[in-house]
Amino acid sequence: MFSVEETIAGTEAAQIPKQRGESLLDAAVRYAEERHWDVVPGTWLEAVDGVQRCSCGDAACAAPGAHAAHGDWATQATGSATVARRMWQKQPTASILLPTGHTFDAISVPETAGFLALARMERMELTLGPVTLAPDRRMHFFVLPGASVKVPDLVRKLGWSPSSLDLIALGEGEYVAAPPTRYGSSGAVQWACRPTPANRWLPDAEELISPLAYACGRDR
């Protein structure tokens, strides 16, 4: 049976572990060094007339300080802790982006569905990988690479139309923002389930798709 740090007694009661005192630089280096995840610096927040704005310059940015800074961001990704340290030393406030499609894919669902799925997975005694919760109220479940290709068919086999569920598999050419990246004034990305030695081996999408699809169906 997997152990999630917070007690899940319902969506409202769930307590998300917070990143306390860890710099973006330290976190990026640790992801590369300890988890062997590729990392890439994204945009960052800048104070403009007392307001935190995204470095991209778009005043209406949907993910201020938490998205790719350049179109060729994928070519800058590195799994080297040394290179990661050098990158964030140049821009210490840059967001941390984790490219999907190589060491892991991610299944993105709304926060309410994500908490429902977590509670269901606990009852089913499923093995779980890391899970993030972002200020845009979406959760990302880390799974083995290949999920982005398999998920539509897996959803259909469960009797759902993929377009009917707010369930998105992120793979090659996409990314997730990692803790403690901040989304403007909305708050920081947090771990709903932290990376630990126990979840170094990720589940396959097929193992999690049933409770995730069920939760998304309930959340419609």
Side-chain angles (χ1 to χ4, degrees):
M1 184 173 181
F2 76 82
S3 174
V4 181
E5 288 83 353
E6 72 279 5
T7 299
I8 301 177
T11 305
E12 293 79 16
Q15 298 298 310
I16 302 299
K18 295 181 179 179
Q19 300 291 119
R20 293 186 178 89
E22 184 173 38
S23 71
L24 289 156
L25 184 154
D26 289 341
V29 169
R30 184 165 54 83
Y31 295 147
E33 194 167 57
E34 296 180 8
R35 300 297 290 202
H36 306 293
W37 289 339
D38 284 351
V39 295
V40 61
T43 54
W44 57 91
L45 296 173
E46 299 176 330
V48 179
D49 296 327
V51 179
Q52 293 290 314
R53 296 283 177 83
C54 185
S55 61
C56 72
D58 182 359
C61 181
H67 63 87
H70 308 285
D72 64 346
W73 62 268
T75 64
Q76 301 172 17
T78 180
S80 165
T82 301
V83 175
R85 183 177 298 279
R86 191 180 307 133
M87 285 177 166
W88 269 270
Q89 283 175 338
K90 290 180 180 178
Q91 182 48 255
T93 57
S95 54
I96 303 172
L97 307 181
L98 305 176
T100 50
H102 178 48
T103 52
F104 66 87
D105 278 6
I107 301 177
S108 173
V109 299
E111 173 187 312
T112 49
F115 279 121
L116 177 61
L118 280 175
R120 193 173 178 84
M121 290 172 187
E122 185 175 33
R123 291 195 298 271
M124 296 169 69
E125 300 187 2
L126 293 179
T127 300
L128 195 66
V131 182
T132 63
L133 171 62
D136 63 357
R137 305 186 72 83
R138 294 197 71 84
M139 296 177 76
H140 297 86
F141 290 72
F142 290 24
V143 293
L144 289 173
S148 60
V149 176
K150 296 191 294 185
V151 160
D153 281 342
L154 291 174
V155 168
R156 289 188 191 95
K157 287 179 181 178
L158 292 170
W160 298 95
S161 163
S163 61
S164 70
L165 299 180
D166 188 2
L167 184 155
I168 305 164
L170 305 176
E172 189 71 32
E174 298 172 291
Y175 58 80
V176 297
T181 294
R182 296 193 66 81
Y183 273 61
S185 59
S186 300
V189 182
Q190 300 174 33
W191 289 114
C193 187
R194 295 178 184 272
T196 67
N199 64 22
R200 181 174 293 277
W201 303 107
L202 300 175
D204 190 278
E206 194 165 358
E207 300 171 58
L208 306 186
I209 197 64
S210 178
L212 285 172
Y214 169 81
C216 287
R218 285 279 303 272
D219 195 49
R220 292 190 305 169

PDB file of all heavy atoms in Angstrom, residues 46-79:
ATOM      1  N   GLU A  46       9.213  39.041 -12.722  1.00  0.00           N
ATOM      2  CA  GLU A  46       9.903  40.321 -12.565  1.00  0.00           C
ATOM      3  C   GLU A  46       8.932  41.341 -11.976  1.00  0.00           C
ATOM      4  O   GLU A  46       7.749  41.350 -12.329  1.00  0.00           O
ATOM      5  CB  GLU A  46      10.411  40.831 -13.926  1.00  0.00           C
ATOM      6  CG  GLU A  46      11.411  39.905 -14.596  1.00  0.00           C
ATOM      7  CD  GLU A  46      11.815  40.387 -15.984  1.00  0.00           C
ATOM      8  OE1 GLU A  46      10.975  41.047 -16.630  1.00  0.00           O
ATOM      9  OE2 GLU A  46      12.943  40.106 -16.405  1.00  0.00           O
ATOM     10  N   ALA A  47       9.423  42.174 -11.086  1.00  0.00           N
ATOM     11  CA  ALA A  47       8.571  43.208 -10.489  1.00  0.00           C
ATOM     12  C   ALA A  47       8.473  44.399 -11.440  1.00  0.00           C
ATOM     13  O   ALA A  47       9.482  45.009 -11.802  1.00  0.00           O
ATOM     14  CB  ALA A  47       9.145  43.650  -9.157  1.00  0.00           C
ATOM     15  N   VAL A  48       7.261  44.695 -11.901  1.00  0.00           N
ATOM     16  CA  VAL A  48       7.017  45.834 -12.797  1.00  0.00           C
ATOM     17  C   VAL A  48       5.971  46.728 -12.133  1.00  0.00           C
ATOM     18  O   VAL A  48       4.813  46.341 -11.982  1.00  0.00           O
ATOM     19  CB  VAL A  48       6.507  45.360 -14.181  1.00  0.00           C
ATOM     20  CG1 VAL A  48       6.245  46.554 -15.078  1.00  0.00           C
ATOM     21  CG2 VAL A  48       7.503  44.402 -14.819  1.00  0.00           C
ATOM     22  N   ASP A  49       6.400  47.917 -11.724  1.00  0.00           N
ATOM     23  CA  ASP A  49       5.517  48.851 -11.017  1.00  0.00           C
ATOM     24  C   ASP A  49       4.866  48.191  -9.805  1.00  0.00           C
ATOM     25  O   ASP A  49       3.668  48.362  -9.526  1.00  0.00           O
ATOM     26  CB  ASP A  49       4.426  49.385 -11.958  1.00  0.00           C
ATOM     27  CG  ASP A  49       5.004  50.199 -13.106  1.00  0.00           C
ATOM     28  OD1 ASP A  49       6.038  50.862 -12.889  1.00  0.00           O
ATOM     29  OD2 ASP A  49       4.431  50.153 -14.214  1.00  0.00           O
ATOM     30  N   GLY A  50       5.674  47.391  -9.105  1.00  0.00           N
ATOM     31  CA  GLY A  50       5.186  46.746  -7.894  1.00  0.00           C
ATOM     32  C   GLY A  50       4.353  45.502  -8.125  1.00  0.00           C
ATOM     33  O   GLY A  50       3.850  44.895  -7.179  1.00  0.00           O
ATOM     34  N   VAL A  51       4.207  45.103  -9.382  1.00  0.00           N
ATOM     35  CA  VAL A  51       3.413  43.915  -9.729  1.00  0.00           C
ATOM     36  C   VAL A  51       4.335  42.852 -10.322  1.00  0.00           C
ATOM     37  O   VAL A  51       5.206  43.157 -11.129  1.00  0.00           O
ATOM     38  CB  VAL A  51       2.301  44.265 -10.748  1.00  0.00           C
ATOM     39  CG1 VAL A  51       1.509  43.022 -11.121  1.00  0.00           C
ATOM     40  CG2 VAL A  51       1.388  45.333 -10.174  1.00  0.00           C
ATOM     41  N   GLN A  52       4.129  41.589  -9.904  1.00  0.00           N
ATOM     42  CA  GLN A  52       4.924  40.495 -10.438  1.00  0.00           C
ATOM     43  C   GLN A  52       4.427  40.127 -11.843  1.00  0.00           C
ATOM     44  O   GLN A  52       3.293  39.696 -12.008  1.00  0.00           O
ATOM     45  CB  GLN A  52       4.835  39.266  -9.524  1.00  0.00           C
ATOM     46  CG  GLN A  52       5.487  39.452  -8.166  1.00  0.00           C
ATOM     47  CD  GLN A  52       7.002  39.524  -8.266  1.00  0.00           C
ATOM     48  OE1 GLN A  52       7.634  38.735  -8.944  1.00  0.00           O
ATOM     49  NE2 GLN A  52       7.587  40.496  -7.586  1.00  0.00           N
ATOM     50  N   ARG A  53       5.283  40.336 -12.834  1.00  0.00           N
ATOM     51  CA  ARG A  53       4.937  40.021 -14.225  1.00  0.00           C
ATOM     52  C   ARG A  53       5.874  38.953 -14.765  1.00  0.00           C
ATOM     53  O   ARG A  53       6.999  38.805 -14.308  1.00  0.00           O
ATOM     54  CB  ARG A  53       5.065  41.280 -15.094  1.00  0.00           C
ATOM     55  CG  ARG A  53       4.091  42.390 -14.717  1.00  0.00           C
ATOM     56  CD  ARG A  53       2.693  42.084 -15.243  1.00  0.00           C
ATOM     57  NE  ARG A  53       1.725  43.098 -14.840  1.00  0.00           N
ATOM     58  CZ  ARG A  53       1.543  44.248 -15.469  1.00  0.00           C
ATOM     59  NH1 ARG A  53       2.293  44.561 -16.527  1.00  0.00           N
ATOM     60  NH2 ARG A  53       0.624  45.100 -15.053  1.00  0.00           N
ATOM     61  N   CYS A  54       5.399  38.241 -15.776  1.00  0.00           N
ATOM     62  CA  CYS A  54       6.212  37.200 -16.402  1.00  0.00           C
ATOM     63  C   CYS A  54       7.307  37.829 -17.256  1.00  0.00           C
ATOM     64  O   CYS A  54       7.094  38.857 -17.914  1.00  0.00           O
ATOM     65  CB  CYS A  54       5.332  36.299 -17.269  1.00  0.00           C
ATOM     66  SG  CYS A  54       6.219  34.880 -17.973  1.00  0.00           S
ATOM     67  N   SER A  55       8.462  37.203 -17.271  1.00  0.00           N
ATOM     68  CA  SER A  55       9.587  37.716 -18.060  1.00  0.00           C
ATOM     69  C   SER A  55       9.318  37.671 -19.551  1.00  0.00           C
ATOM     70  O   SER A  55      10.041  38.285 -20.338  1.00  0.00           O
ATOM     71  CB  SER A  55      10.861  36.913 -17.748  1.00  0.00           C
ATOM     72  OG  SER A  55      10.696  35.539 -18.085  1.00  0.00           O
ATOM     73  N   CYS A  56       8.245  36.965 -19.975  1.00  0.00           N
ATOM     74  CA  CYS A  56       7.921  36.908 -21.404  1.00  0.00           C
ATOM     75  C   CYS A  56       7.377  38.245 -21.906  1.00  0.00           C
ATOM     76  O   CYS A  56       7.307  38.477 -23.113  1.00  0.00           O
ATOM     77  CB  CYS A  56       6.924  35.785 -21.694  1.00  0.00           C
ATOM     78  SG  CYS A  56       5.232  36.095 -21.110  1.00  0.00           S
ATOM     79  N   GLY A  57       6.961  39.110 -20.981  1.00  0.00           N
ATOM     80  CA  GLY A  57       6.478  40.437 -21.363  1.00  0.00           C
ATOM     81  C   GLY A  57       4.989  40.526 -21.624  1.00  0.00           C
ATOM     82  O   GLY A  57       4.459  41.614 -21.846  1.00  0.00           O
ATOM     83  N   ASP A  58       4.279  39.391 -21.594  1.00  0.00           N
ATOM     84  CA  ASP A  58       2.840  39.392 -21.844  1.00  0.00           C
ATOM     85  C   ASP A  58       2.102  39.674 -20.534  1.00  0.00           C
ATOM     86  O   ASP A  58       2.121  38.848 -19.613  1.00  0.00           O
ATOM     87  CB  ASP A  58       2.416  38.038 -22.410  1.00  0.00           C
ATOM     88  CG  ASP A  58       0.928  37.968 -22.739  1.00  0.00           C
ATOM     89  OD1 ASP A  58       0.213  38.971 -22.515  1.00  0.00           O
ATOM     90  OD2 ASP A  58       0.481  36.904 -23.216  1.00  0.00           O
ATOM     91  N   ALA A  59       1.451  40.819 -20.453  1.00  0.00           N
ATOM     92  CA  ALA A  59       0.752  41.196 -19.229  1.00  0.00           C
ATOM     93  C   ALA A  59      -0.397  40.247 -18.916  1.00  0.00           C
ATOM     94  O   ALA A  59      -0.832  40.141 -17.771  1.00  0.00           O
ATOM     95  CB  ALA A  59       0.220  42.623 -19.352  1.00  0.00           C
ATOM     96  N   ALA A  60      -0.890  39.530 -19.941  1.00  0.00           N
ATOM     97  CA  ALA A  60      -2.000  38.604 -19.739  1.00  0.00           C
ATOM     98  C   ALA A  60      -1.531  37.154 -19.765  1.00  0.00           C
ATOM     99  O   ALA A  60      -2.315  36.240 -20.032  1.00  0.00           O
ATOM    100  CB  ALA A  60      -3.056  38.826 -20.813  1.00  0.00           C
ATOM    101  N   CYS A  61      -0.265  36.921 -19.478  1.00  0.00           N
ATOM    102  CA  CYS A  61       0.309  35.574 -19.514  1.00  0.00           C
ATOM    103  C   CYS A  61      -0.511  34.613 -18.653  1.00  0.00           C
ATOM    104  O   CYS A  61      -0.830  34.920 -17.497  1.00  0.00           O
ATOM    105  CB  CYS A  61       1.759  35.611 -19.019  1.00  0.00           C
ATOM    106  SG  CYS A  61       2.583  33.996 -19.045  1.00  0.00           S
ATOM    107  N   ALA A  62      -0.847  33.463 -19.211  1.00  0.00           N
ATOM    108  CA  ALA A  62      -1.689  32.490 -18.509  1.00  0.00           C
ATOM    109  C   ALA A  62      -0.935  31.734 -17.423  1.00  0.00           C
ATOM    110  O   ALA A  62      -1.538  31.222 -16.477  1.00  0.00           O
ATOM    111  CB  ALA A  62      -2.272  31.497 -19.516  1.00  0.00           C
ATOM    112  N   ALA A  63       0.379  31.642 -17.559  1.00  0.00           N
ATOM    113  CA  ALA A  63       1.199  30.938 -16.563  1.00  0.00           C
ATOM    114  C   ALA A  63       2.435  31.780 -16.257  1.00  0.00           C
ATOM    115  O   ALA A  63       3.554  31.399 -16.592  1.00  0.00           O
ATOM    116  CB  ALA A  63       1.599  29.561 -17.081  1.00  0.00           C
ATOM    117  N   PRO A  64       2.228  32.956 -15.647  1.00  0.00           N
ATOM    118  CA  PRO A  64       3.349  33.873 -15.427  1.00  0.00           C
ATOM    119  C   PRO A  64       4.493  33.263 -14.625  1.00  0.00           C
ATOM    120  O   PRO A  64       4.297  32.773 -13.522  1.00  0.00           O
ATOM    121  CB  PRO A  64       2.690  35.043 -14.672  1.00  0.00           C
ATOM    122  CG  PRO A  64       1.415  34.501 -14.127  1.00  0.00           C
ATOM    123  CD  PRO A  64       0.972  33.459 -15.078  1.00  0.00           C
ATOM    124  N   GLY A  65       5.683  33.281 -15.244  1.00  0.00           N
ATOM    125  CA  GLY A  65       6.866  32.739 -14.590  1.00  0.00           C
ATOM    126  C   GLY A  65       6.937  31.238 -14.548  1.00  0.00           C
ATOM    127  O   GLY A  65       7.751  30.667 -13.816  1.00  0.00           O
ATOM    128  N   ALA A  66       6.113  30.551 -15.335  1.00  0.00           N
ATOM    129  CA  ALA A  66       6.070  29.088 -15.235  1.00  0.00           C
ATOM    130  C   ALA A  66       5.878  28.399 -16.577  1.00  0.00           C
ATOM    131  O   ALA A  66       5.179  27.396 -16.679  1.00  0.00           O
ATOM    132  CB  ALA A  66       4.958  28.672 -14.274  1.00  0.00           C
ATOM    133  N   HIS A  67       6.494  28.959 -17.629  1.00  0.00           N
ATOM    134  CA  HIS A  67       6.389  28.316 -18.938  1.00  0.00           C
ATOM    135  C   HIS A  67       7.722  28.435 -19.676  1.00  0.00           C
ATOM    136  O   HIS A  67       8.647  29.102 -19.203  1.00  0.00           O
ATOM    137  CB  HIS A  67       5.241  28.918 -19.762  1.00  0.00           C
ATOM    138  CG  HIS A  67       5.417  30.371 -20.095  1.00  0.00           C
ATOM    139  ND1 HIS A  67       6.107  30.805 -21.216  1.00  0.00           N
ATOM    140  CD2 HIS A  67       5.002  31.503 -19.462  1.00  0.00           C
ATOM    141  CE1 HIS A  67       6.101  32.124 -21.264  1.00  0.00           C
ATOM    142  NE2 HIS A  67       5.438  32.577 -20.210  1.00  0.00           N
ATOM    143  N   ALA A  68       7.809  27.785 -20.816  1.00  0.00           N
ATOM    144  CA  ALA A  68       9.057  27.801 -21.578  1.00  0.00           C
ATOM    145  C   ALA A  68       9.405  29.220 -22.015  1.00  0.00           C
ATOM    146  O   ALA A  68       8.527  29.995 -22.407  1.00  0.00           O
ATOM    147  CB  ALA A  68       8.938  26.892 -22.799  1.00  0.00           C
ATOM    148  N   ALA A  69      10.688  29.546 -21.939  1.00  0.00           N
ATOM    149  CA  ALA A  69      11.133  30.898 -22.290  1.00  0.00           C
ATOM    150  C   ALA A  69      11.406  31.046 -23.779  1.00  0.00           C
ATOM    151  O   ALA A  69      11.343  32.146 -24.316  1.00  0.00           O
ATOM    152  CB  ALA A  69      12.392  31.250 -21.501  1.00  0.00           C
ATOM    153  N   HIS A  70      11.714  29.930 -24.453  1.00  0.00           N
ATOM    154  CA  HIS A  70      12.063  29.973 -25.876  1.00  0.00           C
ATOM    155  C   HIS A  70      11.419  28.806 -26.607  1.00  0.00           C
ATOM    156  O   HIS A  70      11.131  27.768 -26.018  1.00  0.00           O
ATOM    157  CB  HIS A  70      13.584  29.906 -26.063  1.00  0.00           C
ATOM    158  CG  HIS A  70      14.338  30.922 -25.252  1.00  0.00           C
ATOM    159  ND1 HIS A  70      14.375  32.258 -25.593  1.00  0.00           N
ATOM    160  CD2 HIS A  70      15.073  30.791 -24.122  1.00  0.00           C
ATOM    161  CE1 HIS A  70      15.110  32.913 -24.699  1.00  0.00           C
ATOM    162  NE2 HIS A  70      15.541  32.047 -23.792  1.00  0.00           N
ATOM    163  N   GLY A  71      11.237  28.965 -27.898  1.00  0.00           N
ATOM    164  CA  GLY A  71      10.666  27.904 -28.712  1.00  0.00           C
ATOM    165  C   GLY A  71      11.542  26.670 -28.778  1.00  0.00           C
ATOM    166  O   GLY A  71      11.061  25.559 -28.969  1.00  0.00           O
ATOM    167  N   ASP A  72      12.858  26.863 -28.600  1.00  0.00           N
ATOM    168  CA  ASP A  72      13.788  25.734 -28.667  1.00  0.00           C
ATOM    169  C   ASP A  72      14.161  25.226 -27.279  1.00  0.00           C
ATOM    170  O   ASP A  72      15.240  24.682 -27.070  1.00  0.00           O
ATOM    171  CB  ASP A  72      15.061  26.131 -29.424  1.00  0.00           C
ATOM    172  CG  ASP A  72      15.840  27.232 -28.710  1.00  0.00           C
ATOM    173  OD1 ASP A  72      15.273  27.865 -27.796  1.00  0.00           O
ATOM    174  OD2 ASP A  72      17.018  27.453 -29.066  1.00  0.00           O
ATOM    175  N   TRP A  73      13.239  25.388 -26.332  1.00  0.00           N
ATOM    176  CA  TRP A  73      13.522  25.019 -24.936  1.00  0.00           C
ATOM    177  C   TRP A  73      14.002  23.571 -24.793  1.00  0.00           C
ATOM    178  O   TRP A  73      14.844  23.271 -23.943  1.00  0.00           O
ATOM    179  CB  TRP A  73      12.276  25.233 -24.071  1.00  0.00           C
ATOM    180  CG  TRP A  73      11.102  24.385 -24.466  1.00  0.00           C
ATOM    181  CD1 TRP A  73      10.110  24.717 -25.336  1.00  0.00           C
ATOM    182  CD2 TRP A  73      10.820  23.056 -24.034  1.00  0.00           C
ATOM    183  NE1 TRP A  73       9.219  23.689 -25.468  1.00  0.00           N
ATOM    184  CE2 TRP A  73       9.629  22.658 -24.683  1.00  0.00           C
ATOM    185  CE3 TRP A  73      11.443  22.169 -23.161  1.00  0.00           C
ATOM    186  CZ2 TRP A  73       9.052  21.400 -24.480  1.00  0.00           C
ATOM    187  CZ3 TRP A  73      10.882  20.915 -22.958  1.00  0.00           C
ATOM    188  CH2 TRP A  73       9.701  20.537 -23.618  1.00  0.00           C
ATOM    189  N   ALA A  74      13.468  22.669 -25.631  1.00  0.00           N
ATOM    190  CA  ALA A  74      13.810  21.249 -25.499  1.00  0.00           C
ATOM    191  C   ALA A  74      15.292  20.987 -25.729  1.00  0.00           C
ATOM    192  O   ALA A  74      15.865  20.071 -25.143  1.00  0.00           O
ATOM    193  CB  ALA A  74      12.967  20.415 -26.458  1.00  0.00           C
ATOM    194  N   THR A  75      15.924  21.800 -26.571  1.00  0.00           N
ATOM    195  CA  THR A  75      17.346  21.598 -26.858  1.00  0.00           C
ATOM    196  C   THR A  75      18.218  22.027 -25.682  1.00  0.00           C
ATOM    197  O   THR A  75      19.403  21.674 -25.631  1.00  0.00           O
ATOM    198  CB  THR A  75      17.773  22.385 -28.111  1.00  0.00           C
ATOM    199  OG1 THR A  75      17.635  23.795 -27.856  1.00  0.00           O
ATOM    200  CG2 THR A  75      16.906  22.010 -29.306  1.00  0.00           C
ATOM    201  N   GLN A  76      17.657  22.784 -24.737  1.00  0.00           N
ATOM    202  CA  GLN A  76      18.425  23.251 -23.584  1.00  0.00           C
ATOM    203  C   GLN A  76      18.306  22.318 -22.383  1.00  0.00           C
ATOM    204  O   GLN A  76      18.994  22.510 -21.378  1.00  0.00           O
ATOM    205  CB  GLN A  76      17.941  24.650 -23.183  1.00  0.00           C
ATOM    206  CG  GLN A  76      18.080  25.686 -24.285  1.00  0.00           C
ATOM    207  CD  GLN A  76      17.418  27.000 -23.903  1.00  0.00           C
ATOM    208  OE1 GLN A  76      17.137  27.247 -22.734  1.00  0.00           O
ATOM    209  NE2 GLN A  76      17.152  27.835 -24.889  1.00  0.00           N
ATOM    210  N   ALA A  77      17.445  21.312 -22.484  1.00  0.00           N
ATOM    211  CA  ALA A  77      17.234  20.403 -21.363  1.00  0.00           C
ATOM    212  C   ALA A  77      18.505  19.621 -21.051  1.00  0.00           C
ATOM    213  O   ALA A  77      19.232  19.210 -21.957  1.00  0.00           O
ATOM    214  CB  ALA A  77      16.089  19.445 -21.675  1.00  0.00           C
ATOM    215  N   THR A  78      18.744  19.403 -19.766  1.00  0.00           N
ATOM    216  CA  THR A  78      19.950  18.684 -19.359  1.00  0.00           C
ATOM    217  C   THR A  78      19.651  17.756 -18.183  1.00  0.00           C
ATOM    218  O   THR A  78      18.801  18.061 -17.339  1.00  0.00           O
ATOM    219  CB  THR A  78      21.067  19.652 -18.940  1.00  0.00           C
ATOM    220  OG1 THR A  78      22.227  18.897 -18.556  1.00  0.00           O
ATOM    221  CG2 THR A  78      20.651  20.520 -17.767  1.00  0.00           C
ATOM    222  N   GLY A  79      20.337  16.640 -18.159  1.00  0.00           N
ATOM    223  CA  GLY A  79      20.245  15.725 -17.027  1.00  0.00           C
ATOM    224  C   GLY A  79      21.486  15.819 -16.157  1.00  0.00           C
ATOM    225  O   GLY A  79      21.648  15.052 -15.204  1.00  0.00           O
TER     226      GLY A  79
END
